[in-house]
Coordinates of all heavy atoms in Angstrom, one line a residue:
A1 N -256.0 65.2 31.9 CA -257.4 65.1 31.7 C -258.1 64.8 33.0 O -257.5 64.2 33.9 CB -257.7 64.0 30.7
L2 N -259.4 65.1 33.0 CA -260.2 64.8 34.2 C -261.0 63.5 33.9 O -261.1 63.1 32.7 CB -261.2 65.9 34.5 CG -260.6 67.3 34.8 CD1 -261.6 68.3 35.3 CD2 -259.4 67.2 35.7
M3 N -261.7 62.9 34.9 CA -262.5 61.7 34.7 C -263.8 61.9 35.5 O -263.8 62.6 36.5 CB -261.7 60.5 35.1 CG -261.4 60.4 36.6 SD -260.7 58.8 37.1 CE -262.2 57.8 37.0
I4 N -264.8 61.1 35.1 CA -266.0 61.1 35.8 C -266.1 59.8 36.5 O -266.0 58.7 35.9 CB -267.2 61.3 34.9 CG1 -267.1 62.8 34.3 CG2 -268.6 61.1 35.6 CD1 -268.2 63.1 33.2
T5 N -266.4 59.8 37.8 CA -266.4 58.6 38.6 C -267.9 58.0 38.6 O -268.8 58.7 38.1 CB -266.1 58.8 40.1 OG1 -267.1 59.6 40.7 CG2 -264.8 59.6 40.2
D6 N -268.0 56.8 39.2 CA -269.4 56.2 39.2 C -270.3 56.9 40.2 O -271.4 56.4 40.4 CB -269.3 54.7 39.4 CG -268.6 54.3 40.7 OD1 -268.4 55.2 41.6 OD2 -268.2 53.2 40.9
E7 N -269.9 58.0 40.8 CA -270.8 58.7 41.6 C -271.7 59.7 40.8 O -272.6 60.3 41.3 CB -270.0 59.6 42.7 CG -269.4 58.7 43.8 CD -268.4 59.5 44.6 OE1 -268.9 60.5 45.2 OE2 -267.3 59.1 44.7
C8 N -271.4 59.7 39.5 CA -272.2 60.6 38.6 C -273.6 60.2 38.6 O -274.0 59.0 38.6 CB -271.6 60.4 37.2 SG -272.6 61.1 35.9
I9 N -274.5 61.2 38.7 CA -276.0 60.9 38.8 C -276.6 61.2 37.4 O -277.9 61.2 37.3 CB -276.6 61.7 39.9 CG1 -276.4 63.3 39.6 CG2 -276.1 61.3 41.3 CD1 -277.2 64.2 40.6
N10 N -275.8 61.3 36.4 CA -276.4 61.5 35.0 C -277.3 62.6 34.9 O -278.4 62.5 34.3 CB -277.0 60.2 34.5 CG -276.0 59.0 34.4 OD1 -274.9 59.3 34.1 ND2 -276.5 57.8 34.6
C11 N -276.9 63.8 35.5 CA -277.8 64.9 35.5 C -277.8 65.7 34.2 O -278.5 66.6 34.0 CB -277.5 65.8 36.7 SG -276.0 66.7 36.5
D12 N -276.8 65.4 33.3 CA -276.7 66.0 32.0 C -276.2 67.4 31.9 O -276.1 67.9 30.8 CB -278.1 66.0 31.2 CG -278.8 64.6 31.2 OD1 -278.1 63.6 31.2 OD2 -280.0 64.6 31.2
V13 N -275.9 68.0 33.0 CA -275.6 69.5 32.9 C -274.1 69.7 32.4 O -273.9 70.8 31.9 CB -275.8 70.3 34.2 CG1 -277.3 70.2 34.6 CG2 -274.9 69.8 35.3
C14 N -273.2 68.8 32.6 CA -271.8 69.1 32.2 C -271.6 69.0 30.7 O -270.8 69.7 30.2 CB -270.9 68.1 33.0 SG -271.2 66.4 32.7
E15 N -272.3 68.0 30.1 CA -272.0 67.8 28.7 C -272.0 69.0 27.8 O -271.0 69.3 27.1 CB -273.0 66.7 28.1 CG -272.6 66.3 26.7 CD -273.7 65.4 26.1 OE1 -274.8 65.3 26.7 OE2 -273.4 64.9 25.0
P16 N -273.1 69.8 27.9 CA -273.1 71.0 27.0 C -272.1 72.1 27.4 O -271.8 73.0 26.6 CB -274.5 71.5 27.1 CG -275.0 71.0 28.3 CD -274.3 69.7 28.6
E17 N -271.5 72.0 28.6 CA -270.6 73.0 29.1 C -269.2 72.8 28.6 O -268.3 73.7 28.6 CB -270.5 73.1 30.6 CG -271.9 73.4 31.3 CD -272.3 74.8 30.9 OE1 -271.5 75.7 30.8 OE2 -273.5 75.0 30.6
C18 N -268.9 71.6 28.1 CA -267.5 71.3 27.7 C -267.1 72.0 26.4 O -267.8 71.7 25.4 CB -267.3 69.8 27.6 SG -265.6 69.4 27.1
P19 N -266.1 72.8 26.4 CA -265.7 73.5 25.1 C -265.0 72.6 24.1 O -264.8 73.0 23.0 CB -264.7 74.5 25.6 CG -264.1 73.9 26.9 CD -265.2 73.1 27.5
N20 N -264.7 71.4 24.5 CA -264.0 70.4 23.6 C -264.8 69.2 23.2 O -264.3 68.3 22.6 CB -262.7 69.9 24.3 CG -261.7 71.0 24.5 OD1 -261.5 71.9 23.7 ND2 -261.1 71.1 25.7
Q21 N -266.1 69.2 23.6 CA -267.0 68.1 23.3 C -266.3 66.8 23.8 O -266.4 65.8 23.1 CB -267.3 68.0 21.8 CG -268.3 69.0 21.4 CD -267.6 70.4 21.1 OE1 -266.6 70.4 20.4 NE2 -268.1 71.4 21.6
A22 N -265.7 66.8 25.0 CA -265.0 65.7 25.5 C -265.9 64.8 26.3 O -265.6 63.7 26.7 CB -263.8 66.1 26.4
I23 N -267.1 65.3 26.7 CA -268.0 64.5 27.6 C -269.2 63.9 26.8 O -269.8 64.5 26.0 CB -268.6 65.5 28.6 CG1 -267.5 66.2 29.4 CG2 -269.6 64.7 29.6 CD1 -268.0 67.2 30.4
S24 N -269.4 62.6 27.1 CA -270.5 61.9 26.4 C -271.0 60.8 27.3 O -270.4 60.4 28.3 CB -270.1 61.3 25.1 OG -269.1 60.3 25.3
M25 N -272.2 60.4 27.1 CA -272.8 59.3 27.9 C -272.1 58.0 27.6 O -272.0 57.6 26.5 CB -274.3 59.3 27.6 CG -275.1 58.3 28.5 SD -275.1 58.8 30.2 CE -275.7 57.4 31.0
G26 N -271.7 57.4 28.7 CA -271.1 56.0 28.5 C -272.1 55.0 28.8 O -273.3 55.2 28.7
E27 N -271.6 53.8 29.1 CA -272.6 52.7 29.4 C -273.5 52.9 30.6 O -274.6 52.5 30.6 CB -271.8 51.4 29.5 CG -271.5 50.7 28.2 CD -270.8 49.4 28.3 OE1 -271.1 48.7 29.3 OE2 -269.9 49.1 27.4
E28 N -272.9 53.4 31.7 CA -273.6 53.6 32.9 C -273.7 55.0 33.4 O -274.6 55.4 34.1 CB -273.0 52.7 34.0 CG -273.2 51.2 33.6 CD -272.8 50.3 34.8 OE1 -272.2 50.8 35.7 OE2 -273.2 49.1 34.7
H29 N -272.7 55.8 33.0 CA -272.7 57.2 33.4 C -271.9 58.0 32.4 O -271.3 57.4 31.5 CB -272.2 57.4 34.8 CG -270.8 56.8 35.1 ND1 -269.7 57.5 34.6 CD2 -270.4 55.7 35.7 CE1 -268.6 56.8 35.0 NE2 -269.1 55.7 35.6
Y30 N -271.9 59.3 32.6 CA -271.2 60.2 31.7 C -269.7 59.9 31.8 O -269.2 59.5 32.8 CB -271.5 61.7 31.9 CG -272.7 62.1 31.2 CD1 -274.0 62.0 31.8 CD2 -272.7 62.6 29.9 CE1 -275.1 62.4 31.1 CE2 -273.8 63.0 29.2 CZ -275.0 62.9 29.9 OH -276.2 63.2 29.2
E31 N -269.0 60.1 30.7 CA -267.5 59.8 30.6 C -266.8 60.9 29.9 O -267.4 61.7 29.1 CB -267.3 58.5 29.8 CG -267.9 57.3 30.5 CD -267.7 56.0 29.7 OE1 -267.3 56.1 28.5 OE2 -268.0 54.9 30.3
I32 N -265.5 61.1 30.2 CA -264.7 62.1 29.5 C -263.7 61.4 28.7 O -263.0 60.4 29.1 CB -263.9 62.9 30.6 CG1 -265.0 63.8 31.3 CG2 -262.9 63.8 29.9 CD1 -264.4 64.6 32.5
E33 N -263.6 61.8 27.4 CA -262.6 61.3 26.5 C -261.3 62.0 26.8 O -261.1 63.2 26.5 CB -263.0 61.5 25.0 CG -262.0 61.3 24.0 CD -261.3 59.9 24.1 OE1 -262.0 58.9 24.2 OE2 -260.0 60.0 24.1
P34 N -260.3 61.3 27.3 CA -259.1 62.0 27.8 C -258.3 62.7 26.7 O -257.7 63.7 26.9 CB -258.2 60.8 28.4 CG -259.0 59.6 28.3 CD -260.3 59.8 27.6
S35 N -258.4 62.2 25.5 CA -257.6 62.9 24.4 C -258.2 64.2 24.0 O -257.6 65.0 23.3 CB -257.6 62.0 23.2 OG -258.8 61.8 22.6
K36 N -259.4 64.5 24.5 CA -260.1 65.7 24.1 C -260.2 66.7 25.3 O -260.5 67.9 25.1 CB -261.5 65.5 23.6 CG -261.6 64.8 22.3 CD -263.1 64.7 21.9 CE -263.3 64.1 20.5 NZ -264.7 63.9 20.2
C37 N -259.9 66.2 26.5 CA -260.0 67.1 27.7 C -258.7 67.8 28.0 O -257.7 67.2 28.3 CB -260.4 66.2 28.9 SG -260.4 67.2 30.5
T38 N -258.8 69.1 27.9 CA -257.6 70.0 28.2 C -257.7 70.5 29.6 O -257.0 71.5 30.0 CB -257.5 71.2 27.2 OG1 -258.7 72.0 27.4 CG2 -257.4 70.7 25.8
E39 N -258.6 70.0 30.4 CA -258.9 70.6 31.7 C -259.4 72.0 31.6 O -259.2 72.9 32.5 CB -257.8 70.4 32.7 CG -257.5 68.9 32.9 CD -256.4 68.6 33.9 OE1 -256.0 69.4 34.7 OE2 -255.8 67.5 33.8
C40 N -259.9 72.3 30.4 CA -260.4 73.6 30.0 C -259.3 74.6 29.7 O -259.6 75.8 29.5 CB -261.4 74.2 31.0 SG -263.1 73.4 30.7
V41 N -258.0 74.2 29.8 CA -256.9 75.1 29.4 C -257.1 75.5 27.9 O -257.5 74.8 27.1 CB -255.6 74.3 29.5 CG1 -254.4 75.1 28.9 CG2 -255.3 74.1 31.0
G42 N -256.9 76.8 27.7 CA -257.2 77.4 26.4 C -258.5 78.0 26.2 O -258.8 78.8 25.3
H43 N -259.5 77.7 27.1 CA -260.8 78.2 27.0 C -261.3 78.9 28.3 O -261.9 80.0 28.2 CB -261.8 77.0 26.8 CG -261.6 76.3 25.5 ND1 -262.1 76.8 24.3 CD2 -261.0 75.2 25.2 CE1 -261.8 76.0 23.3 NE2 -261.1 75.0 23.8
F44 N -261.0 78.3 29.4 CA -261.5 78.9 30.7 C -260.5 78.8 31.8 O -259.6 78.0 31.7 CB -262.8 78.2 31.1 CG -264.0 78.3 30.2 CD1 -264.3 77.2 29.3 CD2 -264.7 79.5 30.1 CE1 -265.3 77.3 28.4 CE2 -265.8 79.5 29.2 CZ -266.1 78.5 28.3
D45 N -260.7 79.6 32.8 CA -259.7 79.6 34.0 C -259.9 78.4 34.9 O -259.0 78.0 35.6 CB -259.9 80.8 34.8 CG -259.4 82.1 34.1 OD1 -258.6 81.9 33.2 OD2 -259.8 83.2 34.5
E46 N -261.1 77.7 34.8 CA -261.3 76.6 35.6 C -262.1 75.5 34.8 O -262.9 75.9 33.9 CB -262.0 76.9 36.9 CG -263.4 77.6 36.7 CD -264.2 77.8 38.0 OE1 -263.7 77.5 39.0 OE2 -265.3 78.3 37.8
P47 N -262.0 74.3 35.2 CA -262.8 73.2 34.5 C -264.3 73.5 34.6 O -264.8 73.5 35.7 CB -262.3 72.0 35.2 CG -261.0 72.2 35.8 CD -261.1 73.7 36.1
Q48 N -264.9 73.7 33.5 CA -266.3 74.0 33.5 C -267.2 72.9 34.0 O -268.2 73.1 34.7 CB -266.8 74.4 32.1 CG -266.0 75.6 31.6 CD -266.3 76.9 32.4 OE1 -267.4 77.4 32.3 NE2 -265.3 77.3 33.2
C49 N -266.8 71.7 33.7 CA -267.6 70.5 34.2 C -267.6 70.4 35.7 O -268.6 70.2 36.4 CB -267.2 69.2 33.6 SG -265.4 68.9 33.8
V50 N -266.4 70.7 36.3 CA -266.2 70.6 37.8 C -267.0 71.7 38.4 O -267.7 71.5 39.4 CB -264.7 70.8 38.2 CG1 -264.6 70.9 39.7 CG2 -263.9 69.6 37.6
A51 N -267.0 72.9 37.8 CA -267.7 74.1 38.3 C -269.2 73.8 38.4 O -269.9 74.3 39.3 CB -267.4 75.3 37.5
I52 N -269.7 73.1 37.5 CA -271.2 72.9 37.4 C -271.7 71.6 38.0 O -272.9 71.5 38.4 CB -271.7 73.0 35.9 CG1 -273.1 73.4 35.9 CG2 -271.4 71.8 35.2 CD1 -273.6 73.9 34.6
C53 N -270.8 70.6 38.2 CA -271.3 69.3 38.7 C -271.8 69.4 40.1 O -271.1 69.8 41.0 CB -270.1 68.3 38.6 SG -270.6 66.7 39.2
P54 N -273.1 68.9 40.3 CA -273.7 69.1 41.7 C -273.2 68.0 42.7 O -273.4 68.2 43.9 CB -275.2 68.9 41.4 CG -275.2 68.0 40.2 CD -274.0 68.4 39.4
V55 N -272.5 67.0 42.2 CA -272.0 66.0 43.2 C -270.5 65.8 43.3 O -270.0 64.9 43.9 CB -272.7 64.6 42.8 CG1 -274.2 64.7 43.0 CG2 -272.3 64.1 41.5
A56 N -269.8 66.7 42.6 CA -268.3 66.7 42.7 C -267.7 65.4 42.5 O -266.9 64.8 43.3 CB -267.9 67.2 44.1
C57 N -268.0 64.8 41.3 CA -267.5 63.5 40.9 C -266.5 63.6 39.8 O -266.4 62.6 39.0 CB -268.7 62.6 40.6 SG -269.6 63.0 39.1
I58 N -265.8 64.7 39.6 CA -264.9 64.8 38.4 C -263.5 65.2 38.9 O -263.1 66.3 38.9 CB -265.4 65.9 37.5 CG1 -266.9 65.7 37.2 CG2 -264.7 65.8 36.1 CD1 -267.5 66.7 36.2
P59 N -262.7 64.2 39.3 CA -261.3 64.4 39.7 C -260.4 64.3 38.5 O -260.8 64.0 37.4 CB -261.1 63.2 40.6 CG -261.9 62.1 40.1 CD -263.1 62.8 39.5
V60 N -259.1 64.6 38.8 CA -258.1 64.3 37.8 C -258.0 62.8 37.5 O -258.1 62.0 38.4 CB -256.7 64.9 38.2 CG1 -255.6 64.5 37.3 CG2 -256.7 66.4 38.3
D61 N -257.9 62.5 36.3 CA -257.7 61.1 35.9 C -256.3 60.6 36.2 O -255.4 61.1 35.6 CB -258.0 60.9 34.4 CG -258.0 59.5 33.9 OD1 -257.5 58.6 34.7 OD2 -258.5 59.3 32.8
P62 N -256.1 59.7 37.2 CA -254.8 59.3 37.5 C -254.0 58.7 36.4 O -252.8 58.7 36.4 CB -255.0 58.3 38.7 CG -256.4 58.0 38.7 CD -257.2 59.0 37.9
A63 N -254.7 58.2 35.4 CA -254.1 57.5 34.3 C -253.7 58.6 33.2 O -253.0 58.3 32.2 CB -255.0 56.5 33.6
H64 N -254.2 59.8 33.4 CA -253.9 60.9 32.4 C -253.5 62.2 33.1 O -254.2 63.2 32.9 CB -255.0 61.1 31.4 CG -255.3 59.9 30.6 ND1 -256.3 58.9 31.0 CD2 -254.8 59.4 29.4 CE1 -256.3 58.0 30.0 NE2 -255.4 58.3 29.1
K65 N -252.5 62.1 34.0 CA -252.0 63.3 34.6 C -251.2 64.1 33.6 O -250.2 63.6 33.1 CB -251.2 63.0 35.9 CG -252.0 62.6 37.1 CD -251.1 62.5 38.3 CE -252.0 62.1 39.5 NZ -251.1 61.7 40.6
E66 N -251.5 65.4 33.5 CA -250.8 66.2 32.5 C -250.5 67.6 33.1 O -251.3 68.2 33.8 CB -251.6 66.4 31.2 CG -251.9 65.2 30.5 CD -253.2 65.1 29.8 OE1 -254.2 65.3 30.5 OE2 -253.3 65.0 28.6
D67 N -249.3 68.1 32.9 CA -249.0 69.5 33.3 C -249.6 70.5 32.4 O -250.1 70.2 31.3 CB -247.5 69.7 33.5 CG -246.7 69.6 32.2 OD1 -247.3 69.7 31.1 OD2 -245.5 69.4 32.3
R68 N -249.5 71.8 32.8 CA -250.2 72.8 32.1 C -249.7 72.9 30.6 O -250.4 73.2 29.7 CB -250.0 74.2 32.8 CG -251.1 75.1 32.4 CD -251.1 76.4 33.3 NE -251.9 77.4 32.6 CZ -253.2 77.4 32.7 NH1 -253.9 76.6 33.5 NH2 -253.9 78.3 32.0
E69 N -248.4 72.8 30.5 CA -247.8 72.9 29.1 C -248.3 71.8 28.2 O -248.7 72.0 27.1 CB -246.2 72.7 29.3 CG -245.5 72.7 27.9 CD -245.7 74.0 27.1 OE1 -246.0 75.1 27.8 OE2 -245.6 74.0 25.9
T70 N -248.4 70.6 28.8 CA -249.0 69.4 28.0 C -250.4 69.7 27.6 O -250.9 69.4 26.5 CB -248.9 68.1 28.8 OG1 -247.5 68.0 29.2 CG2 -249.3 66.9 28.0
L71 N -251.2 70.3 28.5 CA -252.6 70.6 28.2 C -252.7 71.7 27.2 O -253.6 71.6 26.3 CB -253.3 71.0 29.5 CG -253.5 69.9 30.6 CD1 -253.8 70.5 31.9 CD2 -254.5 68.9 30.1
W72 N -251.8 72.6 27.2 CA -251.8 73.7 26.2 C -251.5 73.1 24.8 O -252.1 73.4 23.8 CB -250.7 74.7 26.5 CG -251.2 76.0 27.1 CD1 -251.1 76.4 28.4 CD2 -252.1 76.9 26.5 NE1 -251.8 77.5 28.6 CE2 -252.4 77.9 27.5 CE3 -252.6 77.1 25.2 CZ2 -253.2 79.0 27.2 CZ3 -253.4 78.2 24.9 CH2 -253.7 79.2 25.9
Q73 N -250.5 72.1 24.8 CA -250.2 71.5 23.5 C -251.4 70.7 23.0 O -251.7 70.7 21.8 CB -249.0 70.6 23.7 CG -247.7 71.4 23.9 CD -246.6 70.5 24.3 OE1 -246.7 69.3 24.5 NE2 -245.4 71.1 24.5
K74 N -252.2 70.1 23.9 CA -253.4 69.4 23.4 C -254.4 70.3 22.9 O -255.0 70.1 21.9 CB -254.0 68.6 24.6 CG -255.1 67.6 24.2 CD -255.8 67.1 25.4 CE -254.9 66.2 26.2 NZ -255.7 65.5 27.3
F75 N -254.6 71.5 23.6 CA -255.5 72.5 23.1 C -255.1 73.0 21.7 O -255.9 73.1 20.8 CB -255.4 73.7 24.1 CG -256.1 75.0 23.5 CD1 -257.4 75.0 23.3 CD2 -255.3 76.1 23.2 CE1 -258.0 76.2 22.8 CE2 -255.8 77.2 22.7 CZ -257.2 77.3 22.5
E76 N -253.8 73.2 21.5 CA -253.3 73.6 20.1 C -253.6 72.6 19.1 O -254.0 72.9 18.0 CB -251.8 73.9 20.2 CG -251.4 75.1 21.1 CD -251.7 76.4 20.6 OE1 -252.3 76.6 19.5 OE2 -251.3 77.4 21.2
R77 N -253.4 71.3 19.4 CA -253.6 70.2 18.5 C -255.1 70.1 18.1 O -255.5 69.9 17.0 CB -253.2 68.9 19.1 CG -251.8 68.5 18.9 CD -251.5 67.0 19.1 NE -252.1 66.4 20.3 CZ -251.6 66.4 21.5 NH1 -250.4 67.0 21.7 NH2 -252.2 65.9 22.5
L78 N -255.9 70.2 19.2 CA -257.4 70.1 18.9 C -257.8 71.3 18.0 O -258.7 71.1 17.1 CB -258.1 70.2 20.2 CG -258.0 68.9 21.1 CD1 -258.6 69.1 22.5 CD2 -258.7 67.7 20.4
R79 N -257.3 72.5 18.3 CA -257.7 73.7 17.5 C -257.2 73.5 16.1 O -258.0 73.8 15.1 CB -257.1 74.9 18.1 CG -257.6 76.2 17.5 CD -257.2 77.4 18.2 NE -255.7 77.6 18.4 CZ -255.2 78.6 18.9 NH1 -255.9 79.6 19.4 NH2 -253.8 78.7 19.0
A80 N -256.0 73.0 15.9 CA -255.5 72.8 14.5 C -256.3 71.8 13.7 O -256.4 71.8 12.5 CB -254.0 72.4 14.6
A81 N -256.9 70.8 14.5 CA -257.7 69.7 13.8 C -259.1 70.2 13.4 O -259.8 69.4 12.8 CB -257.7 68.5 14.7
Q82 N -259.5 71.3 13.9 CA -260.9 71.8 13.7 C -261.1 72.2 12.2 O -260.2 72.7 11.6 CB -261.3 72.9 14.6 CG -261.8 72.4 15.9 CD -262.0 73.6 16.9 OE1 -261.9 74.7 16.5 NE2 -262.4 73.3 18.1
Ligands
SF4_1 FE1 -264.5 69.4 29.1 FE2 -263.1 71.2 30.5 FE3 -264.4 69.2 31.7 FE4 -262.2 68.6 30.3 S1 -262.4 69.9 32.2 S2 -264.2 67.5 30.2 S3 -262.3 70.1 28.7 S4 -265.3 70.8 30.5
SF4_2 FE1 -272.5 63.4 36.1 FE2 -271.6 65.6 37.4 FE3 -271.9 65.5 34.7 FE4 -274.0 65.5 36.3 S1 -272.5 67.2 36.1 S2 -273.7 64.3 34.4 S3 -273.3 64.3 38.0 S4 -270.5 64.3 35.9

């Protein structure tokens, strides 16, 4: 999963781009729910939030590092739950 750092300027553009509805406003800035973020695996070739963020504040979450296979499995779980 990816994460949003405190460099986020709350510009709102990433939230509607997320195919998994993983992004929402937190207490001080936007946040990513790790259980919903597939790093866009299953939907797009690159993370859509990273592609659109004007301040490059969306790195990999060091607490939720996942390989591509794990991200695929998360995508399948999320799809099955819909
Ligand atoms: Fe959503 Fe993709 Fe960004 Fe994860 S990488 S928060 S799935 S847009
Ligand atoms: Fe924050 Fe970047 Fe999302 Fe804008 S696009 S709300 S700066 S994380």
Side-chain angles (χ1 to χ4, degrees):
L2 305 188
M3 64 172 287
I4 295 173
T5 73
D6 59 13
E7 289 169 58
C8 171
I9 57 171
N10 296 329
C11 71
D12 306 330
V13 299
C14 59
E15 184 189 10
E17 297 299 320
C18 179
N20 296 318
Q21 288 82 49
I23 303 174
S24 62
M25 188 62 194
E27 275 183 34
E28 296 190 342
H29 56 77
Y30 277 87
E31 296 176 349
I32 292 173
E33 168 51 51
S35 67
K36 291 185 180 175
C37 174
T38 63
E39 300 182 19
C40 283
V41 167
H43 294 281
F44 299 102
D45 290 339
E46 61 174 0
Q48 299 297 287
C49 54
V50 174
I52 203 167
C53 179
V55 296
C57 67
I58 315 182
V60 171
D61 184 345
H64 296 94
K65 281 189 182 169
E66 296 146 302
D67 63 18
R68 203 172 165 82
E69 177 62 26
T70 306
L71 292 166
W72 260 109
Q73 288 168 1
K74 190 191 293 188
F75 166 70
E76 299 281 5
R77 271 201 314 278
L78 289 169
R79 189 169 58 177
Q82 272 174 6

